[in-house]
Amino acid sequence: MDVTPDHEPAAASTPVSRYASAPAWRAVDAFFTHALVGEDEALVAARESGARTTMPNAEVAANQGALLGLLIGIAGARRMLEFGTLAGYSTIWCARAVGAQGHVTTLELAPQNAHVALENLERAGVADRVEVRIGPAAESAQRLIEEGAEPYDLVFIDADKPGNPAYLAAALCLTGPGAVIVIDNVVRDGAVVDAASEDPRVQGVRQVVQDIAEHPELEATALQTVGVKGWDGLLIARRR
Ligand code: DHB
Ligand code: MG
């Protein structure tokens, strides 16, 4: 089986990666996604609308979106906070998982992306339970802290990677015991192990890993993944 990563162009509605991904990895993702996950029209439309955002193809894969939904269900999370909305693809998964009585706050830097996301949330039937806040995510999170926002049960950090340490710090102000924190893109084609990397995104990941490791209330693990999104990974932490 060919597991050599490549950059083959994908068919119109096939998710593509910002990183190299092998045909075999994509075939396995397609198998499980088809068998277990599925995407309705609203999710497909949201994924495809990523092309109209400032960062096409950066949304999570379908099976990763389903993982977020499952984590929300397992944790019994009703309030969810997301750093980095883009087209709202993962937002839809999370908004569906928190249920009609739940709430999602999602933070997006670019008005253009937020506009696309609002259309997608509307189409998915979850706009009523999602608030999109536009602006630098650290500032939006600080405002939530100042407003005394009710604690969130699950936080997904998936915005600019240099911001990860600030987003974790804000998440810790906006959560209580039992909260789950998930961070996307912690492997980045293996670059995470390069301590000398001059890429601020890599350093943003390395710093947040260290902050979590040193935090007495956080237990965590990280898993590397391969698939339609290339070689990357997710960190999952829980607050004691
Ligand atoms: C990038 C960011 C993401 O959140 C992602 O899932 C993939 C790539 C990026 O910064 O390139
Ligand atoms: Mg991501």
Side-chain angles (χ1 to χ4, degrees):
M1 196 170 258
D2 178 13
V3 292
T4 312
D6 67 12
H7 284 284
E8 265 173 38
S13 94
T14 306
V16 290
S17 178
R18 298 176 68 80
Y19 303 125
S21 107
W25 302 351
R26 296 200 291 273
V28 171
D29 263 1
F31 171 75
F32 285 126
T33 296
H34 179 75
L36 301 174
V37 177
E39 289 175 311
D40 66 359
E41 279 178 26
L43 281 166
V44 171
R47 180 155 53 69
E48 291 180 347
S49 76
R52 292 190 281 128
T53 68
T54 54
M55 208 186 279
N57 305 317
E59 75 283 343
V60 298
N63 50 2
Q64 295 168 336
L67 174 65
L68 287 171
L70 280 166
L71 288 173
I72 285 169
I74 291 164
R78 281 284 166 264
R79 285 178 54 78
M80 187 273 179
L81 173 64
E82 178 177 61
F83 290 82
T85 314
L86 270 185
Y89 180 82
S90 50
T91 322
I92 293 172
W93 277 103
C94 294
R96 287 176 168 171
V98 297
Q101 304 309 312
H103 178 78
V104 174
T105 306
T106 183
L107 312 180
E108 173 53 46
L109 173 65
Q112 173 194 342
N113 300 343
H115 179 79
V116 172
L118 284 167
E119 276 176 26
N120 288 324
L121 295 166
E122 197 72 51
R123 188 188 292 109
V126 294
D128 57 335
R129 68 189 83 151
V130 179
E131 185 190 2
V132 183
R133 292 202 177 198
I134 301 172
E139 289 176 21
S140 296
Q142 185 56 40
R143 206 151 301 128
L144 286 170
I145 295 165
E146 286 162 9
E147 290 169 9
E150 216 183 297
Y152 291 92
D153 306 307
L154 187 140
V155 180
F156 181 43
I157 299 178
D158 189 22
D160 63 290
K161 310 314 169 188
N164 278 343
Y167 304 151
L168 174 70
L172 289 168
C173 295
L174 289 162
T175 56
V180 176
I181 298 172
V182 181
I183 308 180
D184 195 24
N185 312 114
V186 297
V187 173
R188 309 194 64 87
D189 259 334
V192 66
V193 299
D194 181 7
S197 173
E198 287 176 12
D199 184 337
R201 298 169 301 180
V202 172
Q203 292 304 336
V205 172
R206 290 181 61 88
Q207 185 62 51
V208 83
V209 168
Q210 187 182 329
D211 293 348
I212 289 169
E214 289 172 355
H215 197 287
E217 290 172 21
L218 293 176
E219 52 186 346
T221 189
L223 297 174
Q224 52 186 332
T225 55
V226 295
V228 294
K229 295 296 169 175
W231 177 24
D232 212 326
L234 290 165
L235 186 149
I236 303 177
R238 181 175 180 275
R239 190 165 193 175
R240 292 189 191 92

